[in-house]
Structures are given as structure tokens and as C-alpha cells.
Amino acid sequence: MENLSTMAAPGSALWALLLATLGSTAGQPLGGESVCTARPLAKYSITFSGKWSQTAFPKQYPLFRPPAQWSSLLGAAHSSDYSMWRKNEYVSNGLRDFAERGEAWALMKEIEAAGEKLQSVHAVFSAPAVPTGTGQTSAELEVEPRHSLVSFIVRIVPSPDWFVGVDSIDLCEGGRWKEQVALDLYPHDAGTDSGFTFSSPNFATIPQDTVTEITSSSPSHPANSFYYPRLKSLPPIARVTLVRLRQSPRAFVPPALDLASRGNEIADSLSGPETPLDCEFSLWSSWGLCRGPCGKVGTKSRTRYVRVQPANNGTPCPELEEEAECAPDNCV
């Protein structure tokens, strides 16, 4: 009997390893995705807060035609079988249309098709556009255990194909629904347009690139509207908060005593840090003619111009004109 139990042990260990790797029907599904055993349905409020201010992002900040703003928010509650967008992967045609022009029809059709054919989408939700860089918008959404993931996208306006969003955040944690989730959001490039600045003309990226996060140093080009070489990382350009609703949103209205502090909290969430912007200037022009009377020392000058004015205590601009002595070529 001792020999039999000794022989069975390695086999049991191997079987356990296979179950852990492949997943069992009673435990975890393939891929190690946890099974949500929370109550059948949960409702959430989602609040999107733009933090795109001129103090936080002073470089080329859009002030008119059009000013800094956000598109409508478009999202879905779904399973792991569906992906709206994913970093380092190619976007769909529908998401390309939304990221470049704010056109939602094709993306909506893609989400609808995923819901009908794969049963991977439970609900679609949207929130109104925000006409300023630091405004707020909100909506309500519903999730269930089989569709506990939430994804959404908001286009940065104006921009070539830049957006912020969330990819497949899970609102279920084992046997319960999360009460609140808050995330900072950073700009992403959809990989379909090659513009560097907010107001760049449409110039398609051929071949199409994957989704990448825009950082203070990438793309590493001085013309990039988010290029801040003095920063280790960009401040968040937006923030999203999801709060579980029990019965009705009205049940969660705080007492009058707390309204002031809540207002301060919202104001603090909308006001970004002051990002220093150094002066950016051109190279020197060539020297001009040397002028002066014959037999005496003359002068010549050269100039440069300011490309970007400094802001928020950034490095000031240097002298824009320089003179030097010279021997006159054409005596006057």
C-alpha cells in the first residue's frame, strides 16, 4: 500500500498542475479569468471629469476653432470575449472613425454585432460631450456576472486621433460588486493618423499602427503637443469614477452639511497642476551685412524668434537679437 500511495502522489500533483494551467469547469475558466458570483445585476453611475486645463497642459493649448473639449463618452458592459480597444493592438474601423472624427455609428454597429453573434456585450451606455477641457459628464450603466467588464472611449477634441478611455475594467471582485472605482486617464494615440499637434491636418498612418500611450517624451519630437521633456510623466488629463447605486441615485445625495466639501472635491479634481513650459525658440538667422564707415569697426546682427511662449514659471526666452563687430564690406 505504501508503494501504491507513493506512486499516486506524482500523478496527483501533475493532475493538479494541469487543472491550474487549463482551468476546470467547476473553478476558473480558460485563461485564469475569475468567475463572478455576485448578485445578478448591479447598477453604476459613471462620471467623467476632464482635467485638460491650460495650466496643466500649456503647450499649444487650443483656445479657439475649436477650443479644448471632449467628445461624447461611448462605452459597453461586456465579457472577456469582447474588446473595444487595447494598448499595443490595432483599433477597428469603427473606433478609428470615432477617434479621428467623433463619428460613433460604425463603432455602435460593431458593438451591436458583438452582442448579437457572440453574446459578449450586455449593455451600451453613453454620456454627453463636454464643451470645455475641464468639465464633467455622467451616465448610468448596468452589469451582470457574465458581463462584468466595462470599457469606454472619449475623443480628445481637437486632435488627430487621440483619446482617453478604459479597457476592460472588472467591476466584480469574487462574490461581490465593487462599491467604487476611480482611475486617472492619460492620452492615447489610436495609430491611424500621423499628426503631432492638436490642430494637425489629416494625414493617415500607412501602414496603420497599434494603440500607444502618449507620454511627456513620446513621441520624442519638439512639435508634439504633449512633449514636456522636463516632466517624468504627464499629469492625468482626465479622471473617471464609477459608483455602485443601491436603489436610486437620490438615496446617495449627501447631507447639506457635506455639499460644500463635495463641491471642493469636484473643484480639486478638475483643477490640474501647473506644468512649467519652457520657452522654445528658433535657431539664429545668418549674419546680416556689416555696416559702418570705411576704416572703422562696423556691426552686424542676427535674429531668432519665439516658437512657444513660456508659461507657469518655465524658462524665460533669451535675447532674440545679437550684434557683433566686423570689418565693413561696403564702406559708406
Side-chain angles (χ1 to χ4, degrees):
M1 294 295 294
E2 291 180 357
N3 291 336
L4 287 175
S5 61
T6 302
M7 292 174 63
S12 300
L14 179 59
W15 181 244
L17 178 61
L18 286 172
L19 285 177
T21 303
L22 299 177
S24 67
T25 56
Q28 292 185 342
L30 295 178
E33 178 190 347
S34 60
V35 176
C36 178
T37 58
R39 291 185 178 183
L41 293 175
K43 288 188 176 182
Y44 284 83
S45 68
I46 179 171
T47 301
F48 174 86
S49 303
K51 304 179 74 173
W52 186 16
S53 66
Q54 192 171 8
T55 55
F57 299 91
K59 186 173 183 180
Q60 302 168 3
Y61 188 80
L63 295 174
F64 56 89
R65 293 189 299 181
Q69 58 189 276
W70 301 95
S71 76
S72 57
L73 179 151
L74 181 60
H78 58 90
S79 68
S80 59
D81 296 327
Y82 173 75
S83 173
M84 178 177 284
W85 67 275
R86 188 149 294 165
K87 192 175 178 180
N88 299 323
E89 293 187 6
Y90 297 102
V91 300
S92 64
N93 290 335
L95 199 137
R96 179 199 61 203
D97 291 348
F98 191 88
E100 288 189 9
R101 299 183 295 276
E103 296 176 0
W105 185 85
L107 181 56
M108 288 286 293
K109 295 296 289 184
E110 291 173 354
I111 298 174
E112 181 183 340
E116 291 177 351
K117 296 179 181 178
L118 303 176
Q119 302 296 311
S120 57
V121 175
H122 171 66
V124 180
F125 58 91
S126 63
V130 181
T132 59
T134 56
Q136 281 190 329
T137 189
S138 61
E140 292 185 10
L141 62 105
E142 184 181 82
V143 290
E144 61 173 11
R146 290 178 57 247
H147 302 87
S148 61
L149 306 180
V150 169
S151 299
F152 72 84
I153 179 175
V154 183
R155 179 176 180 250
I156 298 174
V157 183
S159 75
D161 60 343
W162 302 340
F163 68 93
V164 298
V166 162
D167 168 32
S168 304
I169 181 175
D170 199 342
L171 296 182
C172 183
E173 194 169 43
R176 66 181 184 88
W177 294 107
K178 296 178 181 178
E179 294 299 322
Q180 181 169 328
V181 177
L183 296 170
D184 288 329
L185 305 178
Y186 299 88
H188 283 74
D189 188 317
T192 61
D193 194 294
S194 297
F196 270 126
T197 66
F198 296 121
S199 57
S200 293
N202 184 31
F203 187 73
T205 301
I206 301 175
Q208 181 177 332
D209 204 350
T210 58
V211 174
T212 56
E213 182 177 339
I214 301 172
T215 69
S216 59
S217 57
S218 178
S220 183
H221 194 291
N224 176 18
S225 292
F226 286 112
Y227 184 69
Y228 295 93
R230 283 179 55 178
L231 299 182
K232 290 183 178 180
S233 61
L234 289 175
I237 196 171
R239 186 173 176 83
V240 65
T241 304
L242 293 105
V243 179
R244 187 184 173 197
L245 303 176
R246 293 293 183 179
Q247 295 177 348
S248 167
R250 293 182 180 180
F252 283 89
V253 174
L257 185 61
D258 295 332
L259 288 178
S261 61
R262 177 59 179 161
N264 292 335
E265 178 184 335
I266 293 175
D268 291 340
S269 71
L270 295 181
S271 60
E274 289 194 356
T275 301
L277 179 62
D278 297 337
C279 176
E280 295 183 15
F281 48 90
S282 69
L283 298 175
W284 286 111
S285 66
S286 57
W287 287 104
L289 292 175
C290 183
R291 300 183 180 278
C294 295
K296 294 186 178 180
V297 176
T299 59
K300 59 182 179 180
S301 65
R302 61 179 182 176
T303 60
R304 54 186 172 186
Y305 61 91
V306 174
R307 295 183 185 273
V308 177
Q309 291 287 349
N312 303 329
N313 295 317
T315 304
C317 295
E319 293 294 330
L320 301 179
E321 186 172 353
E322 185 178 56
E323 290 188 349
E325 294 183 348
C326 60
D329 297 323
N330 300 318
C331 297
V332 179

